[in-house]
Amino acid sequence: MRPFCHAFFLALALLASCSMASSSAGSQDWSSAIVIRVDQSGKGDFTKIQDAIDAVPSRNTDPIFIRIKPGIYREKIVVPADKPFITLSGTKAKSTIITWNEGWNTVESPTVSVLASDFVGRYLTIQNTFGSSGQAIALRVAGDRVAFYGCRFFSFQDTLLDDTGRHYYRNCYIEGATDFICGNGQALFEKCHLHSVSKNGGAITAQRRDSPSENTGYSFVGCKVTGVGVGTTVLGRPWGAYSRVVFALTYMTDSVAAQGWNDWGDPNKQRTAFYGQYRCYGPGSDLSRRVGWSRQLSVREASHFITKSWINGRDWLRSPPTHFRKFSALTVRSSNGSG
């Protein structure tokens, strides 16, 4: 069957299932999901990830679980804003790789762009192989209530554009050199590994909070910071005047420069940026030589940033589904070329 027909019948099946779902996402049964299989060998429902996403109906209200077989997927992926409740899941991040090669020329340039709310990514590697000659985003996250588990993100400059919305990252590996976690999202990173490949003058974060009224910023809790050399990276520099970043209970190697933070050549930002540490450890965590405008947080100050309450996560983070619904018989026959 031609791909257009396949996608059409699959969309009809999904739409029919979605019509039976609750009109309110808050009352949805998240233990069950419709499963779509992506397999480059042709044994699944689609061979490309984007084709599976395209088959999901607009204004979807049902959990959709797109199960991706191991392989290297050379695709540029967009999850549109009108298609919430999608999960993209591999089995192991090292064997399920989404890759592209493009500099940051437009908002369409990232390897993967998540514009939808209530998205989950699991066990994926997302990379941009553009190299060190300029900005190149591997992942852009611009939806609200988005979570990633056990994923790996690779590029050089601006690897992860944590753009807008509330986001959660757990057990993820993030690699880059210059501002490789950037944007104006409100994000909690738990037990993540941040690795700088900068040989000199690198920065891990460039958070873009522009006003004290914005409830945005990055919090790293129980993470690990490594690099390729001694004193080769700072923890952050202010893309926005009110940039806000906190590291708590995090191990830092000597790759972290003694000063810890950089004002990006604008001393005025020293008065407005909020950069702090709480009970970090390791040779790169020493506070004695940090810039004077960074903070050693008290228990009370840190408590705002170090739990899921920071992103209201207890209201929207959910366990993966345990039951899966297959397509209608018509869709299964169609995908096998009959009907």
Side-chain angles (χ1 to χ4, degrees), residues 94-148:
K94 289 185 177 180
S95 61
T96 310
I97 300 168
I98 306 172
T99 184
W100 199 249
N101 181 350
E102 186 173 342
W104 186 4
N105 299 314
T106 68
V107 293
E108 287 79 27
S109 66
T111 302
V112 174
S113 296
V114 178
L115 311 181
S117 62
D118 298 287
F119 173 90
V120 177
R122 304 177 66 86
Y123 312 127
L124 303 169
T125 290
I126 300 172
Q127 63 185 27
N128 191 325
T129 60
F130 185 73
S132 59
S133 59
Q135 299 163 293
I137 303 167
L139 172 65
R140 178 190 176 203
V141 186
D144 192 26
R145 301 183 301 273
V146 173
F148 286 88

Side-chain angles (χ1 to χ4, degrees), residues 67-82:
R67 181 173 287 146
I68 306 168
K69 286 287 187 177
I72 299 175
Y73 294 82
R74 303 186 188 280
E75 299 186 53
K76 186 189 293 186
I77 304 298
V78 177
V79 184
D82 64 346

